[in-house]
Amino acid sequence: MTTLSAPEPTYLAVFQGEPSWLDAMRERFARVESGQLTPKLRELVFVAGYVINRYAAAAQHHRQRALAAGATDDDLRLVLKILDFYRGLRGFQDAQKLLGLWRSGLFPEVKPPRQGTLADIYQKIIETRKYVANGFRVYSADGEWLRLYLQRSDAIKLSPRSIDERGVQLLSMAITLKNHGYSSNFNDGCIEVHENKTRALGTSEAEVLEVVQIMELCDSMTTAWEGAELLGLDGRN
């Protein structure tokens, strides 16, 4: 049986006296911990889930577990870089549907790049990424902003880290799964891209499933924490 530690005690306090509910929580953790993900990668996925949920104590707890499993501060910074990158993309993609600048379905060039042309940037995208994704076209309202977007994408690829590219793509899948969610706004395309990339590098179906299960556990723990903080259900108030 899994040894319980933060953030699980908050969950236990909120749902005390409900043995069946708590047993299901313990068994879900045990199920994930007996899975195929390496301990380091599993803990980094937990870190990502809790950072996105803004559950600080839980994120810090799993940070310590990740470091104990061999992760580095560079790996933690990588999680933040990926999240930073995709929060920005999500903002632009939402704006595409919400603002008149893009609602017509057109992708206007409002500001040119500082050097060269937008066509030059598109050509480089095709050479390095094979096609011009819709997200690139949204960013292209400012050619220099698009160039900086691509610079950040390249910087993620070159980031110092202790995990392999398969792990980077799996983390990217986890973060986009949580950050983007499902919508008709093309956001789910990023999720598919990263799943396909990590699967091509050897990630198993079981590992993809375990990421989804970890994200559910992060939400469960966060819900209990919210109950403790907002409703005083842990007995502190």
Side-chain angles (χ1 to χ4, degrees):
M1 188 64 64
T2 304
T3 301
L4 293 176
S5 54
E8 291 91 331
T10 298
Y11 196 93
L12 291 171
V14 169
F15 295 109
Q16 57 189 303
E18 301 183 42
S20 180
W21 191 263
L22 295 178
D23 181 64
M25 180 273 287
R26 292 186 181 96
E27 290 299 330
R28 286 189 296 157
F29 270 101
R31 185 71 168 170
V32 164
E33 292 192 1
S34 66
Q36 293 185 9
L37 288 173
T38 65
K40 177 166 64 174
L41 196 52
R42 181 175 65 242
E43 294 304 325
L44 288 171
V45 174
F46 269 112
V47 168
Y50 285 126
V51 167
I52 293 171
N53 283 357
R54 295 181 172 85
Y55 187 176
Q60 291 161 8
H61 169 70
H62 284 279
R63 166 187 174 271
Q64 291 298 331
R65 288 176 60 104
L67 293 175
T72 65
D73 283 349
D74 285 330
D75 297 324
L76 297 171
R77 275 186 279 270
L78 177 64
V79 169
L80 293 182
K81 287 178 185 177
I82 296 169
L83 179 55
D84 179 352
F85 182 82
Y86 278 113
R87 277 178 169 162
L89 177 61
R90 176 66 190 266
F92 263 78
Q93 289 177 317
D94 286 348
Q96 177 192 346
K97 295 293 185 180
L98 298 172
L99 297 180
L101 183 64
W102 293 283
R103 265 202 317 266
S104 66
L106 302 176
F107 299 97
E109 182 181 356
V110 179
K111 295 181 178 181
R114 289 177 180 170
Q115 295 182 347
T117 67
L118 193 56
D120 296 332
I121 298 175
Y122 279 162
Q123 182 58 39
K124 183 177 179 181
I125 291 172
I126 291 170
E127 291 171 359
T128 57
R129 294 167 173 83
K130 309 308 180 187
Y131 69 101
V132 181
N134 200 56
F136 299 149
R137 297 187 185 280
V138 179
Y139 267 96
S140 69
D142 180 343
E144 194 61 28
W145 207 261
L146 173 60
R147 192 194 305 279
L148 294 171
Y149 169 80
L150 297 171
Q151 179 177 317
R152 293 165 74 216
S153 176
D154 291 337
I156 288 173
K157 295 176 184 177
L158 298 174
S159 290
R161 49 186 164 83
S162 74
I163 58 174
D164 60 14
E165 181 62 20
R166 185 186 74 88
V168 174
Q169 293 301 325
L170 192 63
L171 272 176
S172 298
M173 185 201 77
I175 289 168
T176 51
L177 183 67
K178 184 67 177 175
N179 181 64
H180 286 12
Y182 178 79
S183 77
S184 59
N185 196 21
F186 314 107
N187 293 312
D188 47 328
C190 295
I191 302 167
E192 181 181 358
V193 164
H194 290 298
E195 181 189 358
N196 288 343
K197 284 183 177 180
T198 195
R199 293 282 294 277
L201 292 169
T203 297
S204 68
E205 290 183 343
E207 289 172 309
V208 171
L209 172 61
E210 287 161 28
V211 167
V212 178
Q213 291 170 330
I214 289 170
M215 289 303 176
E216 181 190 305
L217 286 171
C218 289
D219 284 347
S220 288
M221 297 298 107
T222 300
T223 298
W225 169 65
E226 290 169 339
E229 294 294 314
L230 302 177
L231 303 176
L233 291 176
D234 62 344
R236 291 180 298 172
N237 299 320

